[in-house]
Amino acid sequence: MSFKHITIAGSGVLGSQIAFQTAFFGYDVTVYDINDKALAAAKERFEKLTSVYGEYFNDQARAEKAFASLSYSSDLADAVKDADLIIEAVPEVVDIKVNFYTQLGKVAPEKTVFASNSSTMLPSQFAEYTGRPEKFLALHFANEIWKNNISEVMGHAGTDPKYADLVEEFAKTIGMIPFRLHKEQPGYILNTLLVPFLNAAQYLWANEVADPHSIDKNWMISTGAPVGPFGFLDIIGMTTPYNLSNAKAEQGDPIAKLIADKLKSELIDQGKLGVASGEGFYKYPNPSYKEPDFLK
Ligand SMILES: NC(=O)c1ccc[n+]([C@@H]2O[C@H](COP(=O)([O-])OP(=O)(O)OC[C@H]3O[C@@H](n4cnc5c(N)ncnc54)[C@H](O)[C@@H]3O)[C@@H](O)[C@H]2O)c1
């Protein structure tokens, strides 16, 4: 069996991108969200994505065809009635996801495979609510899916590998480079590497061991990387690293508190949110780390 009809549940930042990507690669896509207002907001996102895809793939006609092919529904049973695969991108809130999978398990056809795009939660947290744990796994995408085209395929202990195989194949057919994890891992591959790396850099800075530009320079010269951890934090934006450190600080972690306080007073309170605001650890659009002299 290969998939034909795909339903995307939740049409916010990531759901809309996944839906558009899937339609752009020729699948029959239904977009589900909680009400008509949310679906109207999705349609506006799709209009913007039509230009983004048209430009990125240099094929406006194909992008417009994808836009026109999308179907919408705010009735879950109707949205999933033909679905071979559902990709869930509802908010990152446990209760919302539990509720969603409980409802979905009742109305989806038996054939339907369920995949979650959750960034921080594990399939095993929801498997029992789906009513079909063997057909449930994570398929995780990165923001700006058309160019950051990796997807991570991660089952829980009860996922039947044949469905993970199908989902991995599907990911390839929509232009993704899939990575199959052999077991559950919070943060998948990328964030398991990236989060401790960025935390270490912020610790060196907050503990006044070295300044951000020296830390980046050291990393870039030593490894040949085109960007260091602080250049990377600018790309991510300060809000997410601040929230992560602040949550740990509230649980009593003194190093996280040092980092959160410094991010807030030296960057966030001054409107230095990174690339998006024009300044973070560097100034944009021409950050000094991209200049040839930076590594001298
Ligand atoms: N934003 C990112 O960069 C990113 C990257 C990778 C993965 N994710 C994951 O994708 C998921 C969605 O994140 P997002 O950033 O797109 O969120 P978002 O807030 O932009 O969108 C969530 C959408 O879900 C809808 N929704 C709310 N309750 C619902 C319900 N009960 N049923 C169906 N839809 C419902 C909302 O109306 C909204 O359209 C999360 O699990 C998140 O971890 C996000």
Side-chain angles (χ1 to χ4, degrees):
M1 180 190 102
S2 58
F3 302 137
K4 282 196 181 72
H5 302 284
I6 316 293
T7 297
I8 312 297
S11 57
V13 175
L14 252 282
S16 60
Q17 294 180 17
I18 300 165
F20 204 92
Q21 182 85 12
T22 305
F24 191 76
F25 281 83
Y27 285 90
D28 180 5
V29 174
T30 301
V31 179
Y32 166 74
D33 210 307
I34 37 174
N35 53 37
D36 290 344
K37 193 166 165 236
L39 289 174
K43 209 160 189 177
E44 281 178 25
R45 290 180 201 281
F46 292 132
E47 274 163 13
K48 291 198 186 107
L49 288 171
T50 305
S51 315
V52 170
Y53 274 72
E55 203 167 303
Y56 186 78
F57 291 96
N58 198 19
D59 194 343
Q60 193 61 29
R62 185 174 164 196
E64 274 163 28
K65 193 171 163 217
F67 176 76
S69 76
L70 293 164
S71 306
Y72 302 83
S73 179
S74 58
D75 176 320
L76 187 58
D78 174 57
V80 304
K81 64 180 189 295
D82 295 324
D84 299 308
L85 172 68
I86 286 164
I87 304 174
E88 170 270 307
V90 310
E92 194 71 344
V93 177
V94 174
D95 288 350
I96 294 180
K97 294 206 195 266
V98 165
N99 196 20
F100 174 77
Y101 283 115
T102 307
Q103 299 304 318
L104 180 66
K106 289 183 190 148
V107 296
E110 201 189 318
K111 66 172 180 176
T112 315
V113 175
F114 299 174
S116 173
N117 180 49
S118 173
S119 293
T120 62
M121 296 166 190
L122 296 170
S124 55
Q125 286 175 258
F126 305 110
E128 65 176 295
Y129 302 104
T130 63
R132 63 190 74 197
E134 75 290 351
K135 292 194 184 97
F136 176 55
L137 73 168
L139 175 63
H140 183 243
F141 296 90
N143 198 5
E144 307 207 328
I145 173 174
W146 57 93
K147 60 181 166 122
N148 300 330
N149 64 329
I150 69 155
S151 56
E152 302 193 73
V153 179
M154 180 176 83
H156 61 97
T159 306
D160 184 331
K162 80 176 175 224
Y163 297 110
D165 289 346
L166 283 172
V167 168
E168 188 177 351
E169 276 311 306
F170 161 77
K172 283 185 199 158
T173 65
I174 61 163
M176 296 290 117
I177 297 173
F179 293 86
R180 179 83 161 261
L181 277 67
H182 303 311
K183 53 165 80 165
E184 278 195 335
Q185 168 65 33
Y188 302 85
I189 294 173
L190 177 61
N191 283 335
T192 303
L193 294 168
L194 189 60
V195 173
F197 169 68
L198 296 178
N199 280 342
Q202 291 172 89
Y203 165 72
L204 290 170
W205 165 61
N207 199 30
E208 296 176 359
V209 175
D211 66 89
H213 290 199
S214 301
I215 297 167
D216 276 7
K217 236 183 242 189
N218 185 317
W219 179 257
M220 290 164 73
I221 295 169
S222 309
T223 64
V227 57
F230 291 94
F232 214 85
L233 284 164
D234 277 356
I235 295 167
I236 296 167
M238 294 312 138
T239 320
T240 304
Y242 173 75
N243 288 340
L244 287 175
S245 286
N246 199 37
K248 282 204 269 173
E250 280 170 2
Q251 289 164 9
D253 181 330
I255 292 171
K257 178 156 174 36
L258 207 62
I259 294 171
D261 288 350
K262 200 149 158 119
L263 281 174
K264 184 164 185 319
S265 64
E266 293 191 18
L267 290 126
I268 294 172
D269 285 350
Q270 299 179 42
K272 297 180 183 173
L273 299 179
V275 179
S277 74
E279 185 171 355
F281 292 100
Y282 297 88
K283 290 194 172 129
Y284 297 86
N286 300 309
S288 59
Y289 72 81
K290 289 198 174 157
E291 284 165 16
D293 280 356
F294 186 70
L295 298 185
K296 286 196 179 140

